[in-house]
Amino acid sequence: DPCYNYTELNDTWRSINNTYNSHCDYYVSWSGWYRLFINNTSAHIPDTCVAQSSCGTGIALWIRGGYPTVTDGVVTRDVCGNWSGYAASYCCYYGSFPIKVKACPDNYYVYELVRPTDCNLAYCADTGSINTSPTTVTPVTISTGNVTHC
């Protein structure tokens, strides 16, 4: 189970608040599953567009498609990187390439990361909260027993 068999990825430069952009994940030998930490605090890859020159890199990588629940098991999500053009911002200009994501019972996530498509791209880490509520509502059927009147 990757929830209990992962490599810690604890580079503080991956913080979403870091605007010093010199890092690159292109040359990392990615293998297996990873859990993100920032200063010993559990972190996650953002699931919304991240500003260019954040997370210690030129193009910060985030995931598109939302986070799974524990019961979803392992899911595949696209990775995107924001690039601001001359007139417009393209939140998924770089990407999208798939990674695997799993929600773990103790409220953290693990990722099967892959090499980005170019240099100046690196995975971002955020210690803020995630909306983990399911997006669908399951109707509940209430069954009533037979009532016998005397």
Side-chain angles (χ1 to χ4, degrees):
D1 185 342
C3 286
Y4 308 104
N5 185 19
Y6 56 79
T7 301
E8 288 188 9
L9 198 59
N10 54 13
D11 307 306
T12 55
W13 60 261
R14 293 183 187 280
S15 171
I16 197 164
N17 300 318
N18 181 11
T19 58
Y20 182 73
N21 60 0
S22 65
H23 296 279
C24 168
D25 278 342
Y26 185 77
Y27 299 105
V28 176
S29 297
W30 298 105
S31 178
W33 290 82
Y34 295 86
R35 181 177 174 189
L36 298 172
F37 290 90
I38 299 290
N39 295 323
N40 297 321
T41 301
S42 189
H44 60 274
I45 297 174
D47 66 342
T48 55
C49 189
V50 177
Q52 193 177 334
S53 298
S54 298
C55 308
T57 190
I59 300 159
L61 298 176
W62 58 281
I63 61 169
R64 182 171 64 179
Y67 269 92
T69 63
V70 172
T71 54
D72 290 333
V74 175
V75 300
T76 300
R77 291 293 183 261
D78 286 335
V79 174
C80 292
N82 182 12
W83 177 256
S84 300
Y86 291 105
S89 176
Y90 301 98
C91 278
C92 206
Y93 182 84
Y94 281 90
S96 63
F97 53 93
I99 62 169
K100 290 186 170 36
V101 182
K102 184 176 184 187
C104 297
D106 293 330
N107 201 24
Y108 64 91
Y109 298 92
V110 290
Y111 308 88
E112 192 176 44
L113 301 177
V114 299
R115 187 173 81 168
T117 54
D118 202 347
C119 204
N120 296 326
L121 281 75
Y123 292 102
C124 190
D126 188 5
T127 56
S129 60
I130 297 179
N131 178 11
T132 54
S133 317
T135 53
T136 55
V137 176
T138 306
V140 176
T141 304
I142 300 172
S143 58
T144 57
N146 292 337
V147 178
T148 308
H149 294 286
C150 298

